[in-house]
Amino acid sequence: MNTKVGKTLLRHWLLPGIVGAFLAAVPAEAAVLQSWRFQAAGNQLSFVAAGGVQPQAQLIADPVRLVIDLPGTTLGNIRQSQRVGGAIREIRVGQVDSRTARIVVELANGYTIDPSQVRFRGLSAESWTVELPSPQRIEDVGRGRTVPNQNSGDIAAASTVLQDIQVGDTGIVLQTSGSPPQIDVKQAGDRSWMSVDLTGVTISPSLGRRNRAVNSFGVDRLQVMQISSSPPVTRVTLNMGNRAQDWETQVSSNGGVLLWPKGSTPPTLAAQGGPATIESVQLRNNGTELVVRADKPLTFTSGWDRQTAAYGITIYSARLSEDVELPRGGSGSPVLWVRQRQDKPNSVTLLLQPGAGVEILGVNQPSAQQLSLQVRPGSVAVTPPLPSNPDYPPTYPVANPPRPVSEPDYPRLPNQRVVIVVDPGHGGSDAGAIGIGGLREKDLNLEVSLQVAQILEQNGIQVVLTRRDDRDVELEPRTVMANRVNADLFVSIHANAIDMSRPDVNGIETYYYESGRALAEYIHRSILESFDVNDRGVRRARFYVLRHTNMPAVLVEMGFVTGRDDARMLADPAQRQRMAQAIARGIMRYAQAGR
């Protein structure tokens, strides 16, 4: 064996083990390696863990072996080794430290493998296969007989090349040439590392060190690896010393990818020659596209804003021209409003509030000086189907069945601006009350709230929803949101409950604290017009969402999920729709009265 040749060839072949169909697997908690096997006939290694894992691999010498580490994983009661024979000598399994399991594929003396041909395929987050190429003799590789020239061939085929990595005063720049790369960011469950996959990117032969110390911004080290050649994918991994630090990532219009600690200035802003001026912000294509244009290249981040429940685009090193007039979405528009917020002196945040059921498709950058945010109108989203127990709805008679009503005759509204926050109670891990047949309050609240929002918007009222899907929202953010958007009204929608042994308790209740009494009475009367249900009255209560809002606020209890009559009514999609119509009609009557 030519040891010197072997060391030279293998020293830099670092392989993170995420190549294939399951790129998003990231361990969220400790996993246990339950089983593994190696099939010599096809050179295929497979393993299964209890809990998601993300393999990381490297090919090293003396002896030549492929080492596969499983961070956040411990060994179960499994065999420790398997003798194979031939070019692959042995497979071994061990525990590197208390949090890392390791699988070692050891080759026979004089053999190696082409690392670019190793394929990891995630059948799921727990089940993986590793396909190994046929081992080759090292002396043949040294003479250039077997392993292709990965650098020259792949760079010619790839559209983008990673040329340099710069660690500056404010962040890290991955300098590229060619087309802008697509990036995929992942983070370990324990936040010990973050990886950025650059699709369509190969590594330049002149890049230099691919494993380097950083010791800045809470990052200890940085690794660069070519994890796939077809299609080319380059991975940059940051080993985090400060696990509490959040990071921003952005493809730069000047060529490259920017990485910087959240809350600080992106690393390339100083090179742009002063802030960009945003010259226009327009809604186009029937309100389905927001277009932002500036006089210089734009660097931005985007995502949902927790304070306002709107979708935000933060543009760094930019200012809004005094001549720019932000667009307003009219009645029926997918976009209700666009507003500006100046979080920092050198940045502009544009907030866009979509209508109910409208999907945000994300922001793209058609050119260096232009951003495009696209939305897709849709019907009101409906929560997952309510329980389909064959014994439910129950067959017992309803004491006060709801009488049929025609399509509501909604009142005409005043011309002045009306903004209403609709608050679907509970959500996420907080299911609220669980009633007869498994009725979950959070599902009822969300479905009715979405329909109320749609009806209001179709009638010219702007609506802000505190949640649009099944997620956790604490009480304080709901009221903070309503106060920040300076809403005119706040309506929280709930379903009531009592002990399951009391199915005789049924009826609607509407609560207020101070200024919401008139609104509560309008909504309460409107529901009684549509449903022949027990009237439990309009009541004063000190609920958190009623006490901490600055506008008239009410909490509607649509009925008892534990009540014999109410549960049957609430389990019927047609009756839930009628409930939404009744609540919306009461709100609009109040608004029309100018209260």
Side-chain angles (χ1 to χ4, degrees):
M1 172 181 178
N2 187 334
T3 305
K4 182 176 181 180
V5 171
K7 287 183 178 179
T8 301
L9 288 170
L10 302 178
R11 186 174 295 132
H12 299 299
W13 286 122
L14 297 173
L15 306 167
I18 309 297
V19 180
F22 205 80
L23 293 175
V26 176
E29 55 186 22
V32 178
L33 184 60
Q34 291 184 316
S35 65
W36 64 274
R37 66 172 181 165
F38 181 76
Q39 296 174 288
N43 279 351
Q44 180 171 290
L45 171 69
S46 59
F47 56 90
V48 176
V53 297
Q54 185 183 40
Q56 298 177 340
Q58 56 180 318
L59 187 65
I60 57 181
D62 288 339
V64 180
R65 60 204 184 277
L66 177 68
V67 175
I68 304 168
D69 284 340
L70 308 178
T73 306
T74 57
L75 294 182
N77 185 20
I78 58 177
R79 58 179 175 162
Q80 304 295 305
S81 65
Q82 174 185 338
R83 297 287 295 183
V84 179
I88 297 178
R89 173 184 290 175
E90 185 181 26
I91 312 293
R92 301 192 304 275
V93 176
Q95 193 76 40
V96 179
D97 54 43
S98 61
R99 291 187 52 81
T100 306
R102 173 172 288 178
I103 303 174
V104 178
V105 180
E106 185 171 333
L107 303 182
N109 287 338
Y111 284 88
T112 186
I113 58 175
D114 177 2
S116 68
Q117 299 302 313
V118 178
R119 292 290 181 265
F120 285 73
R121 302 189 184 279
L123 307 178
S124 69
E126 297 84 14
S127 180
W128 292 78
T129 63
V130 186
E131 298 174 0
L132 304 176
S134 298
Q136 303 292 330
R137 289 191 175 276
I138 287 180
E139 55 265 29
D140 292 340
V141 175
R143 296 175 187 140
R145 295 182 187 176
T146 307
V147 179
N149 185 333
Q150 184 183 11
N151 287 331
S152 61
D154 288 343
I155 289 175
S159 60
T160 306
V161 177
L162 178 60
Q163 300 283 6
D164 191 21
I165 297 178
Q166 303 166 0
V167 179
D169 295 334
T170 58
I172 300 171
V173 178
L174 312 179
Q175 193 69 47
T176 62
S177 61
S179 303
Q182 298 289 325
I183 65 173
D184 182 17
V185 181
K186 309 180 187 71
Q187 190 169 38
D190 62 1
R191 301 170 67 91
S192 61
W193 55 262
M194 180 181 77
S195 66
V196 182
D197 286 353
L198 312 175
T199 302
V201 176
T202 54
I203 302 172
S204 170
S206 62
L207 177 64
R209 290 180 298 162
R210 304 186 184 185
N211 188 335
R212 64 179 73 179
V214 177
N215 298 322
S216 296
F217 320 113
V219 178
D220 292 338
R221 299 194 67 83
L222 178 150
Q223 277 187 322
V224 184
M225 303 165 255
Q226 190 79 50
I227 66 173
S228 176
S229 57
S230 181
V233 180
T234 294
R235 172 170 293 171
V236 179
T237 301
L238 307 181
N239 296 319
M240 299 298 186
N242 179 5
R243 301 187 184 187
Q245 178 64 62
D246 291 326
W247 280 73
E248 302 275 11
T249 60
Q250 178 61 50
V251 177
S252 171
S253 56
N254 295 329
V257 177
L258 315 179
L259 313 173
W260 71 97
K262 188 173 183 179
S264 64
T265 303
T268 59
L269 294 181
Q272 292 184 352
T277 299
I278 299 174
E279 298 176 330
S280 66
V281 180
Q282 298 176 321
L283 278 174
R284 295 188 169 185
N285 300 325
N286 296 320
T288 61
E289 181 183 24
L290 181 74
V291 179
V292 181
R293 287 192 171 89
D295 63 346
K296 292 180 182 178
L298 298 176
T299 302
F300 71 97
T301 56
S302 62
W304 290 100
D305 181 68
R306 292 186 178 183
Q307 295 179 341
T308 62
Y311 194 85
I313 308 173
T314 297
I315 305 173
Y316 297 97
S317 187
R319 64 178 185 86
L320 197 66
S321 171
E322 296 179 357
D323 298 331
V324 171
E325 183 175 345
L326 296 181
R328 299 179 180 179
S331 177
S333 171
V335 176
L336 302 183
W337 47 257
V338 178
R339 298 175 183 169
Q340 176 200 5
R341 187 174 69 202
Q342 193 80 32
D343 294 326
K344 297 180 180 179
N346 62 343
S347 68
V348 173
T349 296
L350 297 175
L351 296 169
L352 176 144
Q353 179 64 59
V358 174
E359 180 182 1
I360 297 290
L361 300 181
V363 181
N364 59 66
Q365 197 163 13
S367 66
Q369 298 171 208
Q370 179 177 327
L371 303 179
S372 172
L373 169 62
Q374 296 184 327
V375 303
R376 178 166 58 198
S379 59
V380 169
V382 179
T383 56
L386 295 169
S388 57
N389 186 334
D391 297 327
Y392 194 82
T395 57
Y396 45 73
V398 177
N400 298 305
R403 60 180 181 270
V405 295
S406 58
E407 182 70 20
D409 181 19
Y410 294 119
R412 296 182 62 183
L413 295 176
N415 293 327
Q416 67 264 28
R417 166 187 175 271
V418 178
V419 177
I420 297 178
V421 170
V422 176
D423 172 43
H426 305 282
S429 61
D430 176 13
I434 306 295
I436 297 174
L439 278 176
R440 298 191 305 181
E441 183 190 357
K442 68 173 184 177
D443 297 336
L444 301 172
N445 298 344
L446 180 59
E447 182 176 336
V448 172
S449 295
L450 289 170
Q451 293 183 20
V452 169
Q454 185 183 52
I455 294 169
L456 294 176
E457 289 171 354
Q458 290 172 345
N459 285 272
I461 292 180
Q462 296 181 0
V463 178
V464 175
L465 285 156
T466 60
R467 67 180 179 99
R468 297 173 175 272
D469 50 24
D470 186 20
R471 69 177 63 191
D472 290 291
V473 182
E474 299 296 331
L475 295 178
E476 183 179 7
R478 299 173 192 254
T479 59
V480 168
M481 182 187 305
N483 295 333
R484 284 187 180 275
V485 301
N486 195 25
D488 297 287
L489 305 174
F490 178 92
V491 178
S492 188
I493 296 178
H494 289 254
N496 222 331
I498 199 171
D499 191 277
M500 292 285 281
S501 64
R502 296 292 310 277
D504 57 306
V505 178
N506 298 271
I508 64 165
E509 301 170 346
T510 309
Y511 291 91
Y512 70 96
Y513 177 56
E514 288 182 344
S515 60
R517 178 169 183 171
L519 173 62
E521 290 175 345
Y522 270 94
I523 295 174
H524 196 81
R525 284 198 299 266
S526 181
I527 295 175
L528 290 176
E529 289 176 9
S530 294
F531 294 92
D532 188 7
V533 294
N534 185 25
D535 180 3
R536 294 176 59 90
V538 174
R539 306 181 179 190
R540 189 174 188 271
R542 291 179 55 83
F543 295 133
Y544 185 96
V545 294
L546 303 182
R547 290 187 292 113
H548 290 83
T549 42
N550 299 333
M551 67 291 303
V554 301
L555 188 147
V556 181
E557 296 281 9
M558 300 181 290
F560 284 76
V561 295
T562 53
R564 180 184 297 111
D565 304 335
D566 292 351
R568 185 170 184 177
M569 178 265 291
L570 292 170
D572 184 344
Q575 302 308 321
R576 295 195 296 271
Q577 183 178 21
R578 292 177 64 207
M579 180 64 70
Q581 292 170 345
I583 294 172
R585 182 175 57 228
I587 293 171
M588 288 187 286
R589 283 177 176 171
Y590 174 88
Q592 182 190 39
R595 298 294 181 120

